[in-house]
Amino acid sequence: MRQAEADLVRALPLFENVSEKHFDELMSTAFLQRFPQGVTLIREGDLPDFLHIVVEGSVELFATHDAHETALDILEPVTTFILAAVIRDEVYLKSARTLTPAQILMIPAAAVRAVFDRDAAFARALVNELAMRYRCVVRSLKNEKLRNSTERLANWILQEDAHQGGKGQIALTIDKRTLASRLGMTPENLSRNLAQLAKHGVVTSGPQFIISDVAALREFAKPNSLIDQ
Amino acid sequence: MRQAEADLVRALPLFENVSEKHFDELMSTAFLQRFPQGVTLIREGDLPDFLHIVVEGSVELFATHDAHETALDILEPVTTFILAAVIRDEVYLKSARTLTPAQILMIPAAAVRAVFDRDAAFARALVNELAMRYRCVVRSLKNEKLRNSTERLANWILQEDAHQGGKGQIALTIDKRTLASRLGMTPENLSRNLAQLAKHGVVTSGPQFIISDVAALREFAKPNSLIDQ
DNA sequence: CGCAAAATTGAACCCAATCAATGTTCGTGG
DNA sequence: CCACGAACATTGATTGGGTTCAATTTTGCG
């Protein structure tokens, strides 16, 4: 790994308070790799060799069973994944693929477990990260079970707008079929749901969503701090 | 807390390798309390005061939104809950209530965080526990999204049979409405699903389920080690 | 301009929840 | 020991949310 990249990694919250010695130990065997879009990074059922960290791009976590597949999460920088499998040294429960070209930091699982035992700051950071990931899953489980697909879309629009600066105007950076999968619905259903939201203050034209009536949209979406972000 | 109870707690995996000193520190402010059935132990949105551990009985984790409620998990001894909230010192995302009379060990959140920082064995055990809880949520999320309700029931029957000794004969210890809620379906739907499973090797008469054709049931249920147990 | 992929629209269908009615079980008190 | 009531369980009919399949329109790009 080059120095510029090592500096980038060093600044991550996960390594913030780790001693220089232990950080070097982790990095000496780690590598930062670029992947094109659509590459399967890990496969459910395999044993973890590396802790993965999304440094750039986005990664989809998904699972399959009986010829069906479901998206479980979409990760953006900077997020670890498969941390739980690495800690317990048990098989992955999910698969992962790149949704865009991506840069992934890979740290050997054995090194992670070794440094965890000797560096309290790293242990603290890891457990914090894991707790955060846990809470994310709980939030998305609640989102899935307590809202219908139109409500999930409405809340996504509110969040995405906030994320893009709250201008009440969203430019889609991904195509709609990807958005549909991220929201746990089919592309057909996304179309219908967007049509529904016309009644609740959202005007769409192609990849431009305009919130024409925020109050109406919030009224419909019922955002909830115990579910959203 | 009485000595007998302290011994019981001391034997939990979570405290196995914790030093005597730190264990005493945790226990000096902890208490083991009995609750009747149907008591709400924690409420989503509150800040965590205590780490909870189910020592006896069973506890339902649930969440509410917009006048709807959903069961997220059912815990049996010995399991921690709200560990992630305690570690991050953030509000609960779920509520919890006793499903049966229960005995709960409550350790002040501040003590947990304090000992975590000073006792590597405790840190290791906590992170292991958290990773295990995380993987449980992922499994139930996959179970929910990749199987329909009849398949979930079929797999529950296979697991419960194994749990009761693999005799091919299950005696229900809970009533069917509770089972329905645990499997994420309505009591009506449980009835219909049991009727369905008659075609796949399950004979029921009241609270007795008999697996008359294991091969047929497994064929239908398609158990999967990356989802079940 | 023309093609392929993406998006939309309509129709049929599936799964599960809800509502309503009926049947069953079980505990209690006469 | 039986009778009764309340909770539980089953069954049927209806509804709603969502997927799938098929056909059509739009978009983007060579």
Side-chain angles (χ1 to χ4, degrees), chain B residues 165-180:
Chain B
K167 304 182 300 293
Q169 195 169 343
I170 299 172
L172 266 195
T173 57
I174 52 180
D175 60 16
K176 288 187 179 174
R177 53 198 313 106
T178 309
L179 175 60

Side-chain angles (χ1 to χ4, degrees), chain A residues 175-177 187-188 191-192 195:
Chain A
D175 60 17
K176 288 188 179 174
R177 54 196 313 106
E188 293 94 322
S191 278
R192 286 184 246 272

Side-chain angles (χ1 to χ4, degrees), chain B residues 147-150 152 184-186 188-189 192:
Chain B
R147 285 177 174 152
N148 65 26
S149 63
T150 318
R152 292 200 297 278
M185 62 186 82
T186 57
E188 293 95 321
N189 210 11
R192 286 184 246 271

Side-chain angles (χ1 to χ4, degrees), chain B residues 153-175:
Chain B
L153 173 60
N155 281 287
W156 181 88
I157 290 175
L158 284 173
Q159 282 184 258
E160 184 63 15
D161 178 50
H163 194 253
Q164 290 191 15
K167 304 182 300 293
Q169 195 169 343
I170 299 172
L172 266 195
T173 57
I174 52 180
D175 60 16

